[in-house]
Amino acid sequence: MDKIKHNYVQVNGLKLHVAEIGAASSPAVVFLHGFPEIWYTWRHQMVAVANAGFRAIAPDYRGYGLSDIPAEPDKTLLVDLVHDTASILDALGISKVFVIGKDFGAMVAYIFSVIYREKVTSIVTFGLPFMPPASFHQSCQAAPEGFYFRRWEEPGRAEADFGRFDAKTVVRKIYIMFSSSEIQIASENQEIMDLVDPSTPLPSWFTEDDLAVYGDLYQKSGFQTPLQVPYRSFTEKIGPPQQGPDDLKVEAPTLLIMGKKDYMFKFPGMEEYLKSEQIKKYVPNLEIVYLAEGCHFVVEQFPEEVNNLILNYLNHNKY
C-alpha cells in the first residue's frame, strides 16, 4: 500500500485524483469503482497486478474521493465518467488498457468499451452484468416503491436521509446493507438508512480502519455527485443518435465475476437475464464465474481468489 502513488490529472476542466502503482512501461490496467466506493476499494488488486508486472491505475470519479466536485453535480452523466476515463488515459500516455469495473463501475467499463473500442484489450467486471442502462432502470422500476434504488433516484430524498448522519456512518450502513444477500426495501414511513440497526457489526473482511478511509473521503466529497451518478443517470442516452439501445454491444473479451450471495440476483429479472442467452446478444465474448460464498463486495471479501482470477484473465489476454 505504501508504494501506491497519488497524483492529479487535469481533464475536462477538473482535477481528478489517480492512484497508481507499477512501471510506466508495463501493460496498463484501469480500475473503476462503484458506490459507496473510491480508489481504495481496489487496494488489494492494485498491489497484486503491479507485483505481476502490470501498471495499476485507479481514479476517483469526478465528485468522488479526492477528485474535484463538478460545478453542477446534478447535471453529471454516466457518460461523463466514461469520457473522463479516456482523458485520464490520454494524459498518462496510455493507448491500450485492460478495464476492470465493479458495481456501476462495471457499467462505466462496458460503455467505455463501446465508445472507445480501440483502447480496450479486455474487461473484468464484478456485481453487474451488461444491459442497456435504460433496461437496467426499468428493472429497478419493477421493484417496490421502498426499494433503495427508487428512493435514491428521487432528488432530495437520500440527501435528507443521509444528512442525519456523518459520512462514516452512512458508508457503514451501506456496506452492511449491500453485503447482505437481500435487496433493501423500506416501508412507506421508513427511510433506507433506518434499515440498519446501529449495533450491527461490519462484515469481518471490512475493518474500522478501512471504514475510516472511506468516511474521510466521503466527508470531503459529500454524496451529491454519487447520488446523481449512478442513481439518477441511468435514463440517459448512450451512443450515437442513430443507435438504439439494442445496438450497444461490448465486443471485447469480458469476464464477469459474481458472488452467488450478491443481492443483485434479487433485482427483478436479473437472475433470469444472467442465465439466459440474451446477455450474449450484448456481450458475445462473455465468460461468467460465480464465487459460492461471495457477496456484492467480493473484491474486498475474497481478495486472493479475485486476484488469481484477474491475473489469469489478464495474462491470457495480454497485449
Side-chain angles (χ1 to χ4, degrees), residues 36-37 102 174-175 178-179 205 295-301:
E37 295 157 341
K102 180 194 173 294
I174 296 173
Y175 253 82
F178 287 2
S179 61
W205 40 265
C295 70
H296 191 61
F297 298 104
V298 289
V299 301
E300 294 173 282
Q301 182 186 15

Side-chain angles (χ1 to χ4, degrees), residues 182-239:
E182 301 298 323
I183 59 174
Q184 302 301 310
I185 299 175
S187 61
E188 184 178 353
N189 298 315
Q190 185 182 38
E191 296 301 327
I192 298 298
M193 289 291 100
D194 296 328
L195 291 171
V196 180
D197 188 293
S199 64
T200 305
L202 286 170
S204 60
W205 40 265
F206 192 70
T207 70
E208 289 289 345
D209 288 342
D210 294 331
L211 177 62
V213 174
Y214 281 82
D216 287 348
L217 291 174
Y218 274 98
Q219 188 67 39
K220 176 199 173 293
S221 68
F223 292 98
Q224 191 171 5
T225 311
L227 286 168
Q228 171 63 24
V229 183
Y231 297 101
R232 298 164 191 169
S233 62
F234 268 99
T235 56
E236 69 185 84
K237 177 73 172 67
I238 300 290

